[in-house]
Amino acid sequence: MIVDEAYLKSQIRTVPDWPKPGIQFRDVTTIFENPKAWRAVMDSLVHRYMSIEFDRIGALDARGFLMGSVLSYTLNKPLILFRKKGKLPHSTVAQDYELEYGTATLEVHADTIQKGDKVILVDDLIATGGTLLAASQLVNQLGGQTLEAASIMDLPDLGGSKKLQEAGIPVFSLCEFEGE
């Protein structure tokens, strides 16, 4: 069962004018603080992926780790951590990506994806798409394939889901805030 979008949106706090005037910040931490909403989100994602053939869950730093660990455990799939630069202790591969306010670097352990692995990427939201796109580029660099990028919410006005789809990455989100 997929969670009702209206219910889910009602559980996400909107913080006006943060981090700067004119921004309607969508605070997903309220989902993690609400057991009913958190269970509905994770049950929906488990339901979506339990019948799909894939090899690994790729979780993005940091809220994607929460989602990825639940999916990994429940679906009995290995968990890949995509981290900010300098946080992984072993040999890594890196990908730079654009932020609204500059650039950043995403890393993954070089031995965590095998050639031909099919990967589901998870993060809390899709905004500009830069982090998910960088993670998918790392999957490809290591010989894997991104099957889908999944999130709790999509902010389509920021263009990230479109950018991912144009790069050939299917996108799935449980709700979206468009023009709101």
Side-chain angles (χ1 to χ4, degrees):
M1 173 183 123
I2 300 296
V3 65
D4 177 71
E5 183 174 2
Y7 167 74
L8 185 57
K9 287 173 75 170
S10 76
Q11 300 305 302
I12 296 170
R13 176 176 32 220
T14 298
V15 181
D17 299 320
W18 196 85
K20 62 183 183 179
I23 302 291
Q24 296 290 317
F25 184 81
R26 308 301 179 178
D27 181 11
V28 75
T29 62
T30 53
I31 295 294
F32 303 127
E33 296 167 357
N34 176 337
K36 179 182 175 187
W38 178 229
R39 180 172 291 279
V41 163
M42 292 315 304
D43 285 352
S44 295
L45 291 173
V46 166
H47 179 73
R48 179 164 180 85
Y49 297 114
M50 66 187 206
S51 299
I52 294 176
E53 292 292 324
F54 69 98
D55 301 295
R56 299 175 189 279
I57 302 283
L60 279 69
D61 200 344
R63 290 176 297 262
F65 291 174
L66 301 170
M67 299 164 61
S69 63
V70 173
L71 287 173
S72 171
Y73 175 79
T74 305
L75 298 173
N76 198 33
K77 299 290 183 180
L79 181 64
I80 304 166
L81 300 181
F82 291 88
R83 304 240 23 217
K84 295 173 178 113
K85 186 176 182 172
K87 300 291 184 181
L88 291 171
H90 191 55
S91 175
T92 63
V93 291
Q95 180 67 48
D96 294 333
Y97 62 99
E98 297 291 323
L99 299 166
E100 293 176 70
Y101 47 85
T103 61
T105 303
L106 193 66
E107 293 183 328
V108 68
H109 279 137
D111 61 356
T112 196
I113 297 171
Q114 306 305 310
K115 185 176 173 96
D117 278 349
K118 296 175 183 157
V119 180
I120 303 290
L121 297 175
V122 294
D123 204 0
D124 62 326
L125 65 90
I126 301 172
T128 63
T131 312
L132 283 163
L133 188 57
S136 183
Q137 290 167 336
L138 289 168
V139 169
N140 292 341
Q141 185 178 339
L142 293 172
Q145 172 192 1
T146 301
L147 287 187
E148 191 164 71
S151 67
I152 296 172
M153 70 178 137
D154 183 13
L155 306 174
D157 291 346
L158 297 179
S161 54
K162 182 178 180 187
K163 184 188 301 180
L164 291 165
Q165 290 166 345
E166 288 172 350
I169 303 163
V171 173
F172 175 75
S173 60
L174 294 170
C175 71
E176 65 179 43
F177 289 90
E178 186 169 20
E180 299 176 43

